[in-house]
Amino acid sequence: MEIGPVYSALIATCFTWLVTALGASLVFFFKTMNRGVLDPMLGFTGGVMVAASFWSLLNPAIEMSERLYPSMKWMPAAVGFLLGAMFLFFLDKFTPHLHINFGIEEKEGTKSQLHRTTLLVLAITLHNIPEGLAVGVLFGAAAEGMPEASIAGAVALAIGIGIQNFPEGIAVAMPLRRHGVTRLKSFWFGQLSAIVEPVAGVVGAVAVIHMQPILPFALAFAAGAMIYVVIEEVIPETQRDKYTDRSTLGFIGGFLVMMILDVALG
C-alpha cells in the first residue's frame, strides 16, 4: 500500500478537524455568538464549498475523463456528481439530525428520541463527510501522478476547508451552550462533529490509490455531495434571520478565497 498519500490525507484532515476544534473553543470565552457575525461566517463556508467543488474537484475530474474516457468524457463527472448528491440525500433522509438554526420540531431524518445535542452534532457530521472525502481523494489522485491533480492543489483544498471549518465549530458549540450545555461538553461536541473528516479522508485516499479508473468518479462524487450540503443545509441556515445580505457577501468572499487558493497553489 502507498503510505505517503494516506498519511498526507490523514494529516491534512486532522488539520481541518483541529480548526473545527479551535472554533468550538470560543465557547470557553463566549456564551453566544451574534447572528450578524455567525451568518456571514456560515455564508463564507458555503462559498468555500462551492468553489472547491468546481476548482478542486469537478474541473480535474473532467480533465481526467478526457484522457481516461475519451469517448465519453462527460460521463464520469456527471455520474459521480449525481451519485455524490444522492448519497447525501439518502444519508439526510435516514439519519436523524437537526440543522443549526432550526427548532426541535424541524428535525429531519427518521423519527427518533435523540437529544437536541446529538441531533445538532449529527447534522454537522453529515456536512463533514464529503469534505474529508474530497481531501483524501485529491491527495490520492496527486499520488497516482495524475497531471490534473497536484499535492499543492490538495493542500490548497485542505487549507480552504480548514478555514471554513472554524465557523462550523462555533456554529455547533454556541447553540449547545445557549441551551444550557456546559462549556466543556459544548466544546467536546463541537469538535466531535469533525472527527469523521480524517476517517473519510483516509478512505478516499486508499480507494483511489488502488482503483485509478474511479478517480474522476470519486472527485465528482465528493463535489456532488458538497453541493448538496450547501443547498440543503448551509444556505437555508443563513436565510432564517435578518442578515441575509451579509450572508450572501460572506458566500462571495468564501468563493473568492477558495478560488484564489486553488488557482495560486494548484
Side-chain angles (χ1 to χ4, degrees):
M1 176 188 293
E2 299 253 7
I3 298 298
V6 175
Y7 275 143
S8 297
L10 180 60
I11 292 168
T13 48
C14 281
F15 161 74
T16 63
W17 170 33
L18 287 173
V19 178
T20 306
L22 184 62
S25 71
L26 292 186
V27 79
F28 291 113
F29 307 100
F30 309 99
K31 187 171 183 177
T32 61
M33 175 71 68
N34 188 290
R35 296 298 318 171
V37 176
L38 186 56
D39 281 354
M41 293 175 74
L42 290 174
F44 182 92
T45 292
V48 168
M49 293 177 73
V50 170
S53 295
F54 176 74
W55 297 100
S56 299
L57 300 170
L58 273 178
N59 195 45
I62 293 169
E63 291 177 354
M64 288 179 193
S65 299
E66 292 177 351
R67 179 166 49 84
L68 296 175
Y69 302 92
S71 62
M72 293 186 296
K73 56 187 179 182
W74 57 269
M75 184 270 294
V79 171
F81 189 86
L82 178 61
L83 289 176
M86 295 308 296
F87 173 70
L88 259 292
F89 172 79
F90 285 111
L91 279 183
D92 185 71
K93 291 300 178 188
F94 294 106
T95 304
H97 61 283
L98 177 67
H99 296 310
I100 294 165
N101 293 326
F102 289 37
I104 189 65
E105 71 281 358
E106 298 176 274
K107 61 184 179 182
E108 298 180 4
T110 55
K111 291 183 179 180
S112 76
Q113 300 302 315
L114 293 175
H115 191 273
R116 181 188 183 92
T117 300
T118 306
L119 293 171
L120 282 168
V121 173
L122 285 172
I124 297 296
T125 300
L126 290 176
H127 182 147
N128 286 328
I129 290 173
E131 295 175 6
L133 185 64
V135 173
V137 168
L138 205 54
F139 270 106
E144 286 297 289
M146 290 287 190
E148 301 84 2
S150 67
I151 294 295
V155 169
L157 178 61
I159 292 172
I161 287 177
I163 292 171
Q164 61 97 40
N165 272 7
F166 184 79
E168 286 184 9
I170 299 172
V172 176
M174 289 297 181
L176 297 180
R177 178 62 183 147
R178 191 168 61 246
H179 285 89
V181 180
T182 66
R183 285 186 173 89
L184 185 59
K185 282 188 176 180
S186 296
F187 167 75
W188 172 254
F189 286 117
Q191 63 80 32
L192 190 64
S193 65
I195 192 65
V196 70
E197 288 193 5
V199 177
V202 169
V203 169
V206 170
V208 299
I209 286 170
H210 293 287
M211 295 176 282
Q212 189 178 111
I214 74 164
L215 269 172
F217 293 95
L219 288 168
F221 181 96
M226 288 176 71
I227 292 294
Y228 183 91
V229 166
V230 172
I231 296 172
E232 200 275 338
E233 179 181 335
V234 178
I235 291 178
E237 287 173 0
T238 66
Q239 303 298 306
R240 295 171 66 87
D241 214 317
K242 59 184 178 181
Y243 304 107
T244 55
D245 288 345
R246 295 186 194 180
S247 302
T248 302
L249 291 176
F251 183 98
I252 298 299
F255 189 97
L256 284 173
V257 167
M258 188 63 236
M259 181 179 67
I260 291 168
L261 276 175
D262 191 85
V263 174
L265 298 181

